[in-house]
Amino acid sequence: MAKDEDLHHHHDHDHDHDHDHDHDHDHDHDHDHELEDGFEDDEIIILEDEEGNEHEFLIAETFDVEDGVYAVLVSADGTSDEGFIFRVEQKEEDGEPYLDFVAIEDDEEWKKVEQVYNTLTDEEDDAE
C-alpha cells in the first residue's frame, strides 16, 4: 500500500457517467442508485498528477480513522494492483456537496491510517 502525494483530486461537475447499463431492466419501480453517503458503486474518481495527466480510480473500500474517513483507490483500468489511500473530505462548491480525495502528506497521519488499514486487512485474513 502506498501513499501517492503526486496525485490530487480533480473535481468536475460536468462529468456524466455512463449509467445506461443500469437501466436495461425498466420496471415500474425506479429507485435511486446513488448511495446515501454520496458514494456511488461504480463512481470513477479522476485524479491528476503533477504533470496534469488524469488517472481514473475506483473506490475499493472506505474506512474510518478516528474522526476522518479514508478511501482506498485502485486503478480503474487494472494496470496496477496497488491501492492508494486518500483522505475523504466533504466539500461544497456552488451549494453542491461533493467528496474530495486528498493525498496524505503528514507522516504521523499516514502511520495512523496505515496501522488501522493493516488491522482491517489482518482481520479479513483471519476470517478465512
Side-chain angles (χ1 to χ4, degrees):
M1 191 58 58
K3 65 176 172 174
D4 195 326
E5 296 170 9
D6 296 334
L7 291 169
H8 55 272
H9 188 227
H10 169 65
H11 182 69
D12 182 5
H13 280 303
D14 298 327
H15 58 268
D16 57 356
H17 304 306
D18 185 8
H19 277 316
D20 292 344
H21 59 271
D22 284 341
H23 301 299
D24 294 341
H25 45 275
D26 232 358
H27 305 306
D28 292 338
H29 55 264
D30 50 19
H31 39 240
D32 209 53
H33 283 292
E34 194 162 331
L35 304 177
E36 286 303 311
D37 58 2
F39 291 113
E40 285 187 44
D41 288 340
D42 55 355
E43 182 170 9
I44 289 184
I45 309 300
I46 296 174
L47 300 176
E48 280 184 5
D49 62 22
E50 304 222 309
E51 283 93 52
N53 301 316
E54 293 189 347
H55 302 271
E56 293 187 346
F57 291 88
L58 296 170
I59 300 175
E61 59 186 304
T62 57
F63 59 98
D64 296 337
V65 180
E66 292 176 358
D67 53 358
V69 178
Y70 294 81
V72 180
L73 302 187
V74 292
S75 178
D77 58 11
T79 50
S80 168
D81 292 338
E82 190 167 30
F84 300 100
I85 300 179
F86 286 83
R87 187 170 66 248
V88 183
E89 295 184 357
Q90 185 89 36
K91 298 195 175 174
E92 203 170 284
E93 185 179 294
D94 303 329
E96 286 284 314
Y98 69 93
L99 296 174
D100 199 11
F101 292 83
V102 182
I104 301 168
E105 294 175 9
D106 180 72
D107 283 341
E108 286 302 309
E109 181 184 4
W110 174 254
K111 281 183 198 146
K112 218 166 19 185
V113 171
E114 192 176 35
Q115 201 173 1
V116 172
Y117 182 76
N118 288 340
T119 308
L120 290 174
T121 50
D122 287 348
E123 282 172 9
E124 284 173 16
D125 292 343
D126 292 346
E128 286 182 16

